[in-house]
Amino acid sequence: MRTKKHRTEVVRTDPKFREMIKSIQAKKFTQEKRMVKSSRITLAMFNQYSKYPELMRELEKADLK
């Protein structure tokens, strides 16, 4: 039997980002009555940035101090 490779990895994030993910999870839990993994939420964010390239350009131009 083959084991699956992990598709996710631990990434250090800002506490504000972590709180945003937790609030999205809480909202989805109240709506759908099931817990959504944080990796699914960040994948959805990535997909939005891929779908709308102007979001990526805006992020690239931002002053990230």
Side-chain angles (χ1 to χ4, degrees), residues 3-15:
T3 59
K4 286 185 181 180
K5 284 188 175 182
H6 293 286
R7 294 186 65 199
T8 62
E9 59 184 59
V10 176
V11 177
R12 290 184 174 166
T13 63
D14 187 89

Side-chain angles (χ1 to χ4, degrees), residues 13-29:
T13 63
D14 187 89
K16 292 177 187 175
F17 185 75
R18 191 177 322 126
E19 287 302 315
M20 182 182 73
I21 297 295
K22 295 289 183 195
S23 79
I24 292 170
Q25 283 178 320
K27 177 128 179 133
K28 295 299 262 180
F29 185 76

Side-chain angles (χ1 to χ4, degrees), residues 14-62:
D14 187 89
K16 292 177 187 175
F17 185 75
R18 191 177 322 126
E19 287 302 315
M20 182 182 73
I21 297 295
K22 295 289 183 195
S23 79
I24 292 170
Q25 283 178 320
K27 177 128 179 133
K28 295 299 262 180
F29 185 76
T30 58
Q31 291 174 343
E32 301 175 6
K33 303 295 185 238
R34 66 180 182 90
M35 184 57 110
V36 177
K37 293 182 180 180
S38 61
S39 60
R40 297 294 302 163
I41 295 169
T42 55
L43 180 60
M45 291 175 176
F46 172 76
N47 289 338
Q48 286 298 103
Y49 274 88
S50 297
K51 186 175 180 181
Y52 300 104
E54 64 272 4
L55 289 174
M56 185 60 81
R57 283 192 288 276
E58 187 177 325
L59 182 62
E60 290 168 347
K61 290 179 183 177

